[in-house]
Amino acid sequence: MSPSASAPRYTVPGLGLDEGRQVIDLLTLRLHALNDLALTLKHIHWNVVGPHFIAVHEMLDPQTAAVREMADSAAERISALGGEPHGTPGALVAERTWDDYSVGRADAIAHLGALDLVYTGIIEDHRRAVQEAGGIDPITEDLLIEHLRGLEQFQWFVRAHLESGSGSLSNAGATTEEQAARRAAPQKAAAERTPAKKTALPPAAKKTVKRAAKKTTASKRTTR
């Protein structure tokens, strides 16, 4: 469902009402995307586990705070243009064009593999919005460009955990969040699928175990 196309009753000087409506609609989806991203970052913050837990857990809070500020600036721009920003969960779910983040409790690196795809999606949509806004309202264009500076830096932080020494990303080629998570932490996933091997005992140890078993059996027989 797309945002309402109704024209505002007024807008900023230099823009027509129809132009104001176009920019409001553009910013409405950006507002939903930023609010959704902030919630997703907190979801990951609460659900990371594993040896990289504390590094990732603490990295995400500043990103969440910055994304919330981006959402605030988008909402205030909508108001300045004569529109009505909708920040309720119902409006977000009804008007967004994507599904909920799909990874629950998981290894920190697996989450980062999935989060990289989330950042890619929002950055690509922000870039398209920049191009569209540029022909109508340079102020909104500048606002979205400023968002992109932060979003692309945050994705760099995420990708630094996924990059190999040769410069390739462990989740490269993944098209879903679950697939990206598996590719980012393949060793952990393989370990969870593979049962632990029994350690073979040396011959001397086997004899000791057998003697102990015989004594235990004899003891049980005499006390029964």
Side-chain angles (χ1 to χ4, degrees):
M1 180 177 177
S2 61
S4 172
S6 59
R9 293 181 179 275
Y10 70 90
T11 192
V12 294
L15 291 185
L17 291 180
D18 188 59
E19 291 172 323
R21 177 196 56 76
Q22 291 180 54
V23 179
I24 289 168
D25 288 350
L26 193 72
L27 283 171
T28 294
L29 280 180
R30 296 301 85 224
L31 173 61
H32 291 332
L34 291 166
N35 279 332
D36 187 86
L37 176 59
L39 291 170
T40 297
L41 289 168
K42 288 305 291 187
H43 168 84
I44 297 171
H45 172 84
W46 294 322
N47 284 286
V48 292
V49 296
H52 300 282
F53 160 76
I54 196 64
V56 174
H57 181 78
E58 292 188 350
M59 178 183 74
L60 295 180
D61 261 348
Q63 294 190 18
T64 304
V67 170
R68 283 174 174 166
E69 289 185 5
M70 293 177 193
D72 189 53
S73 65
E76 290 180 349
R77 184 62 184 164
I78 291 172
S79 292
L81 287 161
E84 181 182 354
H86 296 284
T88 62
L92 191 163
V93 172
E95 297 179 0
R96 68 183 179 180
T97 58
W98 57 90
D99 295 324
D100 275 343
Y101 182 74
S102 55
V103 181
R105 189 173 182 84
D107 179 77
I109 300 303
H111 266 300
L112 293 184
L115 180 58
D116 178 45
L117 263 64
V118 174
Y119 269 122
T120 293
I122 192 170
I123 288 169
E124 288 177 346
D125 287 346
H126 249 63
R127 281 182 168 271
R128 282 190 284 270
V130 164
Q131 293 177 346
E132 188 173 343
I136 308 171
D137 178 25
I139 309 304
T140 297
E141 177 190 32
D142 182 66
L143 176 69
L144 295 174
I145 289 172
E146 188 62 30
H147 289 176
L148 280 168
R149 289 191 183 95
L151 294 169
E152 291 181 1
Q153 183 185 54
F154 296 155
Q155 187 178 38
W156 169 47
F157 292 168
V158 169
R159 286 181 164 180
H161 294 77
L162 307 172
E163 187 176 1
S164 68
S166 63
S168 60
L169 296 174
S170 59
N171 64 340
T175 56
T176 68
E177 291 160 359
E178 294 94 335
Q179 186 182 53
R182 288 194 300 270
R183 291 189 182 187
Q187 293 179 346
K188 185 172 180 63
E192 291 174 350
R193 290 193 302 268
T194 305
K197 293 181 179 179
K198 295 182 178 179
T199 304
L201 293 173
K206 287 181 180 179
K207 291 180 180 179
T208 302
V209 171
K210 287 181 179 179
R211 285 198 297 269
K214 286 181 179 179
K215 288 181 180 179
T216 302
T217 303
S219 174
K220 286 181 179 179
R221 286 173 181 170
T222 58
T223 58
R224 185 173 178 175

